[in-house]
Amino acid sequence: LVRTTTMADETPKRKPVRVWADGCFDMMHYGHSNALRQAKSLGDFLVVGVHSDEEIRKHKGPTVMKEEERYAAVAACKWVDLVVKDAPYVTSLKVLDEHNIDFCVHGDDESISADGTDTYHEVKSAGRFRTVPRTLGVSSTDLVGRMLLLTKAHFSQLNPDGSPSLPHHDKLRDISEGNDPRSGPKTIVSQFIPTSRKIVQFAEGREPNPTDVVVYIDGSFDLFHVGHCLILEEAKKLGDYLVVGVYHDQYVNTLKHGNYPIMNLHERVLSVLSCRHVDEVIIGAPALITKETIETMRIRWVVRGTVSYSEEEEKNYQVPNELGLMKIIKSPSELTTSIVVERILKNRLQFEDRNKKKAAKETAIALRQVQELNRTE
């Protein structure tokens, strides 16, 4: 007899674990992405149900982002394998069975329907429910509040040498929970390389291969939305490895004034890192693109879209223009951060009322999590 299989070949293949997560994902931020990443780490295939505008209005109130925008934003998250549109607000066993789901995952906060019942009561009773820690320090409620209050308290600070100051190690530890180090882009920090090891906990990835075509695009990426996702997708099509430069808060503020950016540097970076099209991020990227930057990063194409560029920003692309490396691609979406803010302000009273209710709930959750952390230390 001739043996044609190895012991590994004879080992029965394990059935892939299919995980379900659902939500509104309105103004999707890195807190949402972190929850999805943790959910994915509990299984092999992540199915995400996204509620319709009608369902959310019935149970929660108005949304900022439109239905199709929310679907597209979730689909762009690198930990998501499948998006189910118009998912019911109350999660049932029928929905899980329809998609061959092993169990459902949600944050460790309560989700209540319009009639006051737990939206996961049925799957909890069946033992098909898991929780993951909610990401502290970020929520859609907080972001809406920044727009309504016109606060600048969220801005990141610069170090004396002009480099961006990175968040405390403890916060990065919280963000990195559930991270699979095999996935996700690598990150470098402009002018502050030694601290990049902290960010690697959240985003560790591959170096570009010698033959890879490296594409570079930069910007504010404030309130990271589907317009950003789509332009990054188009940029990635021009090469093999996409590097994204994210401006520091002070530069964004000089361009847009007011209380912009709404999200601080580190929040914007983590949002960009969650996008499936991104391979590497430069934190606090210099606005002026120099020949040295191009040579160091081995950039083949520098890309920009056709939406939201000022005359001041045009000057930053002089070198790549002269070198013939500039590519201007039509922005697939007209959505901008300013439009998102306008939607909030237009419906100010509705969002203020919604925020009061959600803020009280989120404060209670945050206090409980802090108390739990203190007990474990």
Side-chain angles (χ1 to χ4, degrees):
L1 294 176
V2 178
R3 188 180 185 87
T4 58
T5 61
T6 64
M7 292 295 290
D9 294 327
E10 293 176 350
T11 303
K13 288 188 176 180
R14 178 178 63 83
K15 173 184 174 292
V17 175
R18 291 172 67 89
V19 180
W20 173 276
D22 56 24
C24 305
F25 302 101
D26 196 18
M27 288 173 49
M28 189 164 171
H29 49 70
Y30 74 88
H32 293 131
S33 299
N34 189 44
L36 295 178
R37 177 177 57 188
Q38 292 181 86
K40 177 66 177 280
S41 73
L42 298 177
D44 304 296
F45 193 90
L46 179 60
V47 181
V48 180
V50 182
H51 310 316
S52 67
D53 289 349
E54 183 180 355
E55 277 281 89
I56 298 170
R57 275 193 296 269
K58 175 183 174 183
H59 293 276
K60 202 170 186 177
T63 62
V64 179
M65 310 305 288
K66 298 175 182 176
E67 194 168 313
E68 292 299 326
E69 292 169 347
R70 293 185 292 106
Y71 294 150
V74 173
C77 179
K78 65 185 178 186
W79 293 285
V80 176
D81 296 298
L82 177 68
V83 173
V84 175
K85 299 180 179 182
D86 193 16
Y89 200 84
V90 177
T91 308
S92 66
L93 290 172
K94 178 184 176 183
V95 169
L96 299 193
D97 291 339
E98 283 177 354
H99 298 279
N100 300 313
I101 301 299
D102 291 280
F103 54 83
C104 170
V105 175
H106 190 261
D108 52 7
D109 56 318
E110 288 184 318
S111 178
I112 305 299
S113 66
D115 62 7
T117 59
D118 184 342
T119 59
Y120 296 102
H121 70 276
E122 188 174 322
V123 293
K124 285 180 178 179
S125 298
R128 293 170 67 180
F129 183 81
R130 307 283 189 278
T131 62
V132 293
R134 183 186 172 107
T135 305
L136 291 172
V138 63
S139 69
S140 299
T141 304
D142 178 47
L143 296 177
V144 170
R146 292 178 196 178
M147 286 177 257
L148 295 176
L149 297 174
L150 301 178
T151 176
K152 292 185 181 181
H154 56 282
F155 281 17
S156 296
Q157 301 302 311
L158 292 180
N159 292 311
D161 64 354
S163 63
S165 174
L166 289 174
H168 192 273
H169 172 76
D170 289 345
K171 184 170 183 179
L172 286 171
R173 179 196 64 195
D174 295 338
I175 292 167
S176 67
E177 287 183 18
N179 179 47
D180 180 353
R182 295 169 298 177
S183 67
K186 175 172 107 41
T187 304
I188 66 172
V189 181
S190 175
Q191 302 178 342
F192 203 44
I193 300 301
T195 59
S196 65
R197 61 186 171 80
K198 297 180 180 179
I199 298 293
V200 167
Q201 296 172 23
F202 178 72
E204 182 181 358
R206 71 177 181 90
E207 296 277 353
N209 295 320
T211 56
D212 281 350
V213 174
V214 178
V215 180
Y216 181 75
I217 185 169
D218 59 4
S220 305
F221 299 101
D222 195 14
L223 292 178
F224 193 73
H225 52 70
V226 68
H228 296 132
C229 297
L230 293 174
I231 194 67
L232 292 176
E233 181 179 12
E234 291 303 308
K236 182 64 177 282
K237 291 177 182 178
L238 295 174
D240 309 295
Y241 194 89
L242 181 62
V243 180
V244 181
V246 181
Y247 302 147
H248 62 70
D249 295 343
Q250 286 73 14
Y251 180 69
V252 177
N253 190 253
T254 62
L255 290 175
K256 300 201 170 185
H257 312 293
N259 70 322
Y260 286 96
I262 305 302
M263 299 179 79
N264 69 41
L265 173 62
H266 307 109
E267 293 170 327
R268 291 181 285 118
V269 164
L270 291 170
S271 295
V272 172
L273 285 170
S274 71
C275 182
R276 66 174 68 251
H277 310 299
V278 177
D279 295 293
E280 184 171 356
V281 169
I282 300 179
I283 301 173
L288 183 66
I289 302 173
T290 64
K291 187 176 181 180
E292 180 183 8
T293 300
I294 291 169
E295 291 175 348
T296 301
M297 302 296 297
R298 296 196 294 108
I299 296 169
R300 178 63 184 88
W301 298 115
V302 175
V303 177
R304 50 157 285 196
T306 53
V307 172
S308 190
Y309 277 85
S310 65
E311 290 184 14
E312 176 67 25
E313 290 173 284
E314 293 282 357
K315 300 174 184 177
N316 297 328
Y317 300 100
Q318 181 178 343
V319 170
N321 263 317
E322 292 173 349
L323 294 174
L325 305 180
M326 199 71 214
K327 288 275 189 182
I328 299 176
I329 54 181
K330 180 174 173 54
S331 299
S333 171
E334 295 297 316
L335 184 65
T336 65
T337 300
S338 297
I339 290 174
V340 176
V341 174
E342 285 172 9
R343 291 178 184 177
I344 294 286
L345 298 179
K346 184 178 179 182
N347 298 285
R348 184 183 185 109
L349 293 179
Q350 292 182 60
F351 285 115
E352 283 181 338
D353 182 57
R354 189 186 80 170
N355 263 28
K356 286 178 184 177
K357 296 174 183 176
K358 289 187 67 181
K361 173 184 171 184
E362 289 173 0
T363 299
I365 293 167
L367 286 173
R368 186 174 70 244
Q369 289 181 321
V370 169
Q371 290 168 352
E372 290 173 356
L373 283 172
N374 289 338
R375 283 198 296 268
T376 58
E377 290 181 352

